[in-house]
């Protein structure tokens, strides 16, 4: 739904139009007759009309007119920009059939894209990176790698850490360390990013997907129990269970860990999205036999690309480091007895990581504040169900997510996302569950109950811009545009 403040009827006078332009600050008005766009009026049009001797009381319908240049509903942000450049406009109306006004977009919005989750550097990263340059420690490995491992392990309260080139690499190494071999099965949360389970395929193993519950959006203990019962009957227990902590929130570890323990199967905790989160006072990622974090560009802290594997056993971290450096035996002539990988993090990137780790708690506060602002500003919107944060959990709100209430959610979700995208706001659907991905067609899947929770969270879920460096003005833009999109959603439903 379009901002009604910037729409006026044709009988509006020049003086009224000037006052409205002044009040909205948008820079242009859409003159509409019923739902139909008649013309666009800018400051410049009114100034020229005045200079040509028109009275302030002249209605807009009497000003010289021309066919408005319009964009079509499906046009991309790039196309809108192209049209504005071509015609030297700073505003472009978007119209549907019969020139029904759908939206009105400004150049300012399009040139200041709002990202879902952009990197946010602190004050100390450059000092660490400069140190790497000054000491010529550009080669991979070096004091910052050791320092970053030590500091991160201490931060999350785990004995040891190994810094690697990505979260995906850390998961791959973790699977190998847990003994995953070709033909094995691995249980994994279905509602996740593909980086959680691609490494299962690298090992030649087969994934079995487990649904989420509605309280945490993470692995459902009921579904996990069913999967184990099935696996036991088949005589084929999984080699490990990958429990994913989505969008900055831990899974229900007190319910999940005892089930895995009962079957004697270790847990690999994919905490790529939940660094900084707590579960009953303990750091997310510290519950599994092995935990994994990611420092990809969109995560809560970043090294531009990187990952970390954490474990309480020193031998696990040591073996991870060895496998990540081509599995070199300790011999001066480079002796090799097993396959290794080139997965280590570089000393330069570890320097960025050390600086980022110092602002992690601040980033958590900032992301939680972004969420609180959305919750407060959109409290009157009946279609919004925020991702819950149960008692005893402390989410980082890495991404602010909600589901749309009501029937036909998938189509409505797409309409809302499209409307945000037209205003150059990057929002996304919730992860498409792995059991619905063509890549994993045929893989066994255990839903929470008759209700496929992951599938319905995907259909109705939206992730909003949530960066810790989102300005109040930017968040205001998201809130305003989302309110309009939700009003349109309600209108379409009636
Ligand atoms: C980002 C992410 C990964 C992979 O991390 P990379 O560093 O991008 O390889 C794995 N699992 C989840 C849930 C993620 O969000």
């Amino acid at each position: 739904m379009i901002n009604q403040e910037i729409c006026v009827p044709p009988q509006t006078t020049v003086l009224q139009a000037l006052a409205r332009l002044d009040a909205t600050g948008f820079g242009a008005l859409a003159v509409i007759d019923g739902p139909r766009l008649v013309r666009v009026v800018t400051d410049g049009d009114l100034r020229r009309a005045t200079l040509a001797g028109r009275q302030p009381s002249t209605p807009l319908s009497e000003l010289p007119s021309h066919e408005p240049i319009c964009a079509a509903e499906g046009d991309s942000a790039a196309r809108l920009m192209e049209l504005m450049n071509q015609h030297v406009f700073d505003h472009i109306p978007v119209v549907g059939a019969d020139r029904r006004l759908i939206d009105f977009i400004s150049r300012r919005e399009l040139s200041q894209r709002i990202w879902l989750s952009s990197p946010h550097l602190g004050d100390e990263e450059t000092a660490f990176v400069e140190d790497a340059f000054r000491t010529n420690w550009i080669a991979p490995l070096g004091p910052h790698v050791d320092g970053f491992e030590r500091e991160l392990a201490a931060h999350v309260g785990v004995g040891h850490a190994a810094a690697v080139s990505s979260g995906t690499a850390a998961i791959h190494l973790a699977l190998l360390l847990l003994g995953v071999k070709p033909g094995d099965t691995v249980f994994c949360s279905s509602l996740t990013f593909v980086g959680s389970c691609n490494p299962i395929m690298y090992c030649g193993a087969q994934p079995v997907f487990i649904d989420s519950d509605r309280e945490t959006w993470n692995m459902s203990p009921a579904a996990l129990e069913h999967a184990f019962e099935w696996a036991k009957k088949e005589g084929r227990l999984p080699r490990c269970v990958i429990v994913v902590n989505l969008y900055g929130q831990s899974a229900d570890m007190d319910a999940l860990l005892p089930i895995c323990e009962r079957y004697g199967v270790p847990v690999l905790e994919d905490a790529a999205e939940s660094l900084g989160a707590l579960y009953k006072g303990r750091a997310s990622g510290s519950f599994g036999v092995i935990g994994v974090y990611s420092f990809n560009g969109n995560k809560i802290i970043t090294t531009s690309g990187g990952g970390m594997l954490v474990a309480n056993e020193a031998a696990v971290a040591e073996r991870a480091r060895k496998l990540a450096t081509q599995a070199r035996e300790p011999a001066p002539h480079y002796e090799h007895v097993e396959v290794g990988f080139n997965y280590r993090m570089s000393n330069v990137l570890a320097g960025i990581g050390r600086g980022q780790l110092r602002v992690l708690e601040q980033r958590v506060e900032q992301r939680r504040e972004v969420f609180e602002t959305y919750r407060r500003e959109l409290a009157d919107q009946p279609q919004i169900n925020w991702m819950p944060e149960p008692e005893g959990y402390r989410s980082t709100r890495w991404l602010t997510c909600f589901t749309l209430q009501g029937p036909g959610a998938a189509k409505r979700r797409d309409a809302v996302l499209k409307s945000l995208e037209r205003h150059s706001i990057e929002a996304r659907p919730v992860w498409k569950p792995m059991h619905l991905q063509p890549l994993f067609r045929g893989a066994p899947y255990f839903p929470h109950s008759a209700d496929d929770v992951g599938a319905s969270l995907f259909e109705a879920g939206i992730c909003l811009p949530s960066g810790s460096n989102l300005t109040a003005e930017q968040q205001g833009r998201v809130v305003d545009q989302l309110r309009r999109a939700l009003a349109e959603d309600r209108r379409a439903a009636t």
Side-chain angles (χ1 to χ4, degrees), residues 7-71:
C7 299
V8 292
Q11 62 271 28
T12 308
T13 66
V14 167
L15 185 65
Q16 287 167 330
L18 277 168
R20 184 68 74 88
L21 278 172
D22 204 43
T24 62
F26 185 70
L29 297 174
V31 183
I32 52 173
D33 196 358
R36 193 169 175 276
L37 178 76
V38 187
R39 61 170 299 166
V40 168
V41 178
T42 65
D43 273 317
D45 293 333
L46 298 179
R47 192 172 57 237
R48 277 185 292 278
T50 308
L51 288 174
R54 299 287 183 159
Q55 294 303 306
S57 58
T58 312
L60 297 179
S61 54
E62 285 177 20
L63 298 187
S65 165
H66 45 78
E67 282 283 294
I69 305 292
C70 299

Side-chain angles (χ1 to χ4, degrees), residues 166-168 192-193 195-196 244 270 272-273 294 296 299 306:
S166 72
T168 308
T192 187
F193 170 61
S196 299
V244 184
D270 178 355
E273 299 182 5
S294 163
N296 189 30
K299 298 299 189 327

Side-chain angles (χ1 to χ4, degrees), residues 169-212:
I171 294 171
H172 186 196
L173 292 175
L175 292 176
L176 295 171
L177 291 168
L178 293 171
V180 175
K181 297 205 169 48
D184 281 348
T185 54
V186 172
F187 287 2
C188 184
S189 308
S190 181
L191 186 67
T192 187
F193 170 61
V194 73
S196 299
C197 45
N198 264 336
I200 301 173
M201 312 307 272
Y202 306 166
C203 296
Q206 289 155 6
V208 172
F209 292 113
I210 317 287
D211 199 5
S212 296

Side-chain angles (χ1 to χ4, degrees), residues 179-405:
V180 175
K181 297 205 169 48
D184 281 348
T185 54
V186 172
F187 287 2
C188 184
S189 308
S190 181
L191 186 67
T192 187
F193 170 61
V194 73
S196 299
C197 45
N198 264 336
I200 301 173
M201 312 307 272
Y202 306 166
C203 296
Q206 289 155 6
V208 172
F209 292 113
I210 317 287
D211 199 5
S212 296
D213 63 30
R214 290 197 177 271
E215 291 71 43
T216 64
W217 291 25
N218 287 315
M219 191 180 278
S220 152
L224 178 65
E225 188 74 66
H226 287 145
F228 267 120
E229 281 160 14
W230 164 83
K232 195 170 172 203
K233 239 186 317 187
E234 297 276 306
R236 213 169 132 212
L237 287 180
R239 188 67 63 181
C240 75
V241 178
I242 304 177
V243 175
V244 184
N245 305 303
L246 279 188
Y247 300 126
Q249 177 158 281
S250 175
D252 186 0
M253 292 301 171
D254 279 353
L256 297 170
L257 295 180
I259 300 173
C260 298
E261 240 161 68
R262 201 151 24 85
Y263 288 92
V265 176
V267 168
L268 193 182
E269 210 184 340
D270 178 355
E273 299 182 5
S274 65
L275 177 60
L278 300 177
Y279 175 78
K280 303 192 179 172
R282 253 178 77 188
S284 181
S286 71
F287 290 84
V289 172
I290 298 179
V292 163
Y293 300 106
S294 163
F295 311 111
N296 189 30
N298 60 359
K299 298 299 189 327
I300 193 159
I301 61 169
T302 180
T303 57
S304 83
M308 192 78 82
L309 179 153
V310 297
N312 273 314
E313 267 185 67
V316 173
E318 235 158 75
R319 195 155 152 67
R321 291 188 203 108
K322 180 183 171 186
L323 287 179
T325 34
Q326 311 282 21
R328 226 177 95 192
E329 300 297 325
H333 59 264
Y334 286 63
E335 180 89 352
H336 298 282
V337 296
E338 61 184 328
V339 174
F341 306 88
N342 182 5
Y343 274 174
R344 276 296 252 173
M345 179 182 279
S346 87
N347 195 50
V348 176
L349 298 190
I352 302 177
R354 294 182 85 179
Q356 284 271 278
L357 191 57
R358 282 159 168 70
V359 292
L360 172 60
E361 289 315 306
Q362 205 180 321
R363 299 293 176 261
V364 172
E365 290 302 327
Q366 288 162 330
R367 296 229 179 206
R368 286 183 64 87
E369 188 55 44
V370 165
F371 168 73
E372 286 306 331
T373 302
Y374 281 129
R375 177 150 72 177
R376 195 174 56 242
E377 298 290 321
L378 296 161
D380 58 343
Q381 299 296 303
Q383 302 107 303
I384 294 187
N385 280 330
W386 299 111
M387 179 180 179
E389 184 187 37
E391 186 78 31
Y393 292 65
R394 184 174 158 85
S395 170
T396 65
R397 297 288 179 182
W398 170 58
L399 294 185
T400 286
C401 311
F402 69 94
T403 50
L404 277 172
Q405 196 160 303

